Amino acid sequence: MSISYFQTANTLITGSGSIAKIGEQAKKFEAKHVVIVTDSIIKQTGLLENITTPLTNQEISFKIIDKVVPEPPFENLEDMIQELESDNPDMLIGVGGGSALDITKLLSVMLTNKEDVRNFIGTDKIKNRGIPFILVPTTAGTGSEVTANAIFTDVRDNVKKGIVSPYLLPSAAIIDATLTLSVPAKVTAATGMDALVHAVESYTAIKAGELTDGIALQAIKLISRSLRTAVYDGNNLRAREDMAMGSLLAGISLGNAGVGAVHALAYPLGGKFKVPHGVANSLLLPYVMKYNVISNLTKFKEVAIAMGENVEHLSLRDAAEQAVHALAKLSEDVGIPASLQEVGVEESDLQDLAEEASKIDRLLSNNPRKLTRNDIENIYKDAFGV
Ligand SMILES: NC(=O)c1ccc[n+]([C@@H]2O[C@H](COP(=O)([O-])OP(=O)(O)OC[C@H]3O[C@@H](n4cnc5c(N)ncnc54)[C@H](O)[C@@H]3O)[C@@H](O)[C@H]2O)c1
Ligand SMILES: [Fe+2]
C-alpha cells in the first residue's frame, strides 16, 4: 500500500441550524473584528443575518465586503485587498458558493504574504500562513470549504488556474443546508452535478485509496438520490440536506484523491466560453466516463450501484457502462446542455480547446486512463456531436 496524506478543514460543523454556532466558533479563535466576504446576490437574500446575529451576540464586530463575482478573475482579489487591509480584521468569514469561498481563502494569505497573487499559481507556492478564516458554503457545491485549492480565471490568457496550499484549508467550516434553500434551480443543478463529478472522479482517480473510497461512494449515493428533488422542489429540506452532505463528502474525497480529465477538459470551457464550472463538468462527464470506463470496470460498477441502478443480472462490463448511462440521464434530467454546440462552441474551436486541456498535467496525470492530445480532441468531438 502506498503512502498517502489525508487533510481537511480543522473543524467541521454540520446539520440544519448549525450556522447559529458561528459566533461561538469565531470566539474560539479570539476574533474581535471579522470581515464577511460574499457577493451582492447573497447579501440581497438576507442570508447574512444568520451570521451577523450570532457574531453580535458574542460582541464581535463585523464588516461586509460583497464584491465577489462568479468564477472570479485575479483582479477581483486585487479589488478587495486594499479595503481589507485598511479594515485590519483578525478573522475572515467567507459566505457563498465556490467563488466567494475561493476568494476568502486567498485574501487570508494575501494579508500575510505581500506579493503578486499570480506568484501563488501552482502547488505549495504560498510562504506564510494567513489569518484564520471560517467558510460557510451556500451552494452544494464545490466542496471548496474542505479543499486546499482555489481556482481563478486569468483574463490574460482566458484560462482557469489553480492555487494549491495547505494554508487554504479553513480553521472551520459550517455546512448548513438551510442556507441553500434559496439557490435557484439552474444553479442547484450545475453545482450539484459539480459535486457528483468530484465524487465520481476522485473515486476512480489514480490517487484514490481506502481513506477516500467510502466517502466518495456515500457522496454518490446521497447526490444521486436527491439532486432531482433539490432542483425541482427547492424547498425540500431533506433533499437539500442530502445535497449539502453529499457535496461536503465529495469535497473531502476530492481534496485528498484529486480529480481528473473531466475537470481538465472543463477548465478551457470556463476560461474561454464562460461556461459555469458545474455546467462544463456535467456536460463533459458522460463523454469522459465513456472513455474511462474500461480502466476499472469494478469501480464503475460500484458507481452504478451507488447511483441506485439495478445491475444484478448484468455482466461486469454492462454494469460498469450502466454508470455512464445513469450519469448522462441525471445530467439530462436536471436540464444541463448535452452538447458543446449548445454552449456556444464551434467545431473550429475544438483543436484549441484540446491544446489548452492537454497542458493541465496536474489533473490529467490523475485520470485513471491516460489521454493523448488526440484522445482529448476526440472526446471534445464526441461532446460536440461530430
Ligand atoms: N476550491 C475548490 O476546491 C473548487 C472546487 C470546484 C469549483 N471551484 C470554483 O468555484 C467556483 C464556482 O462556485 P459555485 O459553483 O458554487 O458558484 P458561485 O459561487 O459562482 O455561485 C453561483 C451563483 O449562485 C448564487 N448563490 C450562491 N448561493 C446562493 C444562495 N444560497 N441563494 C441564492 N443564490 C446563491 C451566487 O450569488 C452566484 O450568482 C468556480 O470559480 C470554480 O472554479 C472551486
Ligand atoms: Fe469542480
Side-chain angles (χ1 to χ4, degrees):
M1 200 186 259
S2 59
I3 296 169
S4 74
Y5 290 79
F6 189 88
Q7 55 181 11
T8 189
N10 199 34
T11 302
L12 288 172
I13 307 175
T14 61
S16 290
S18 56
I19 194 62
K21 305 287 177 201
I22 196 160
E24 293 161 29
Q25 196 59 35
K27 197 87 181 170
K28 281 192 184 153
F29 293 99
E30 295 172 357
K32 293 188 177 57
H33 178 65
V34 309
V35 167
I36 298 172
V37 179
T38 192
D39 67 43
S40 56
I41 294 178
I42 300 210
K43 197 172 167 203
Q44 281 162 25
T45 61
L47 279 180
L48 296 182
E49 271 176 38
N50 292 290
I51 291 149
T52 54
T53 306
L55 288 178
T56 307
N57 290 344
Q58 295 289 337
E59 294 172 354
I60 299 170
S61 63
F62 62 85
K63 177 183 172 152
I64 298 168
I65 301 185
D66 64 347
K67 290 189 181 153
V68 174
V69 298
E71 318 273 329
F74 287 108
E75 286 69 14
N76 200 193
L77 288 158
E78 285 150 11
D79 281 350
M80 276 180 260
I81 191 70
Q82 271 188 357
E83 191 175 345
L84 197 59
E85 276 171 344
S86 63
D87 204 59
N88 198 24
D90 46 25
M91 172 175 262
L92 302 180
I93 298 180
V95 186
S99 301
L101 304 192
D102 284 1
I103 287 269
T104 308
K105 293 170 165 193
L106 255 291
L107 288 174
S108 155
V109 293
M110 284 169 81
L111 287 171
T112 54
N113 295 267
K114 310 281 175 190
E115 52 180 307
D116 184 346
V117 63
R118 284 186 171 78
N119 293 348
F120 303 149
I121 296 169
T123 303
D124 286 336
K125 300 279 170 58
I126 302 172
K127 296 187 191 87
N128 306 313
R129 181 178 294 283
I131 69 164
F133 59 99
I134 297 178
L135 297 180
V136 181
T138 64
T139 61
T142 65
S144 171
E145 67 277 10
V146 281
T147 72
N149 315 336
I151 315 290
F152 296 91
T153 307
D154 195 339
V155 292
R156 292 179 188 173
D157 51 11
N158 267 334
V159 174
K160 294 201 86 177
K161 298 198 173 150
I163 299 177
V164 184
S165 161
Y167 300 144
L168 301 184
L169 282 164
S171 313
I174 301 181
I175 295 88
D176 183 340
T178 63
L179 303 178
T180 66
L181 289 168
S182 53
V183 181
K186 250 185 151 170
V187 179
T188 303
T191 52
M193 285 302 296
D194 184 28
L196 184 59
V197 173
H198 296 160
V200 173
E201 283 215 283
S202 60
Y203 180 62
T204 53
I206 298 283
K207 285 196 286 174
E210 298 294 342
L211 277 170
T212 50
D213 279 358
I215 294 173
L217 279 178
Q218 181 66 4
I220 294 169
K221 185 176 153 192
L222 294 175
I223 297 167
S224 303
R225 82 174 178 205
S226 287
L227 179 56
R228 292 177 180 87
T229 309
V231 170
Y232 294 108
D233 177 16
N235 285 322
N236 187 315
L237 184 59
R238 288 290 295 275
R240 295 289 194 182
E241 285 175 336
D242 274 359
M243 289 306 302
M245 186 52 76
S247 158
L248 171 65
L249 295 174
I252 294 173
S253 183
L254 136 80
N256 292 285
V259 284
V262 178
H263 273 74
L265 271 69
Y267 281 143
L269 286 180
K272 283 209 169 64
F273 295 92
K274 309 288 173 243
V275 182
H277 178 75
V279 174
N281 271 334
S282 184
L283 193 162
L284 290 164
L285 177 68
Y287 302 101
V288 176
M289 290 304 138
K290 193 164 116 190
Y291 175 86
N292 280 355
V293 74
I294 194 79
S295 67
N296 195 334
L297 293 173
T298 308
K299 273 205 154 174
F300 279 98
K301 176 181 172 183
E302 291 302 323
V303 171
I305 294 169
M307 293 188 76
E309 296 293 305
N310 183 356
V311 298
E312 239 169 66
H313 302 294
L314 298 181
S315 67
L316 177 60
R317 175 72 188 247
D318 286 349
E321 284 178 352
Q322 193 63 29
V324 182
H325 301 313
L327 291 167
K329 188 76 196 129
L330 180 52
S331 184
E332 183 193 332
D333 281 353
V334 298
I336 305 278
S339 90
L340 290 176
Q341 296 185 56
E342 290 172 57
V343 294
V345 175
E346 312 247 338
E347 198 173 345
S348 56
D349 297 317
L350 300 182
Q351 286 208 352
D352 283 354
L353 285 171
E355 187 60 36
E356 281 305 330
S358 65
K359 292 179 195 157
I360 313 178
D361 196 50
R362 174 176 74 90
L363 302 177
L364 293 175
S365 61
N366 195 33
N367 194 63
R369 186 174 169 193
K370 291 295 147 232
L371 298 104
T372 62
R373 154 100 177 49
N374 215 22
D375 294 328
I376 294 174
E377 196 174 324
N378 284 337
I379 294 173
Y380 278 130
K381 279 185 181 160
D382 200 13
F384 185 81
V386 282

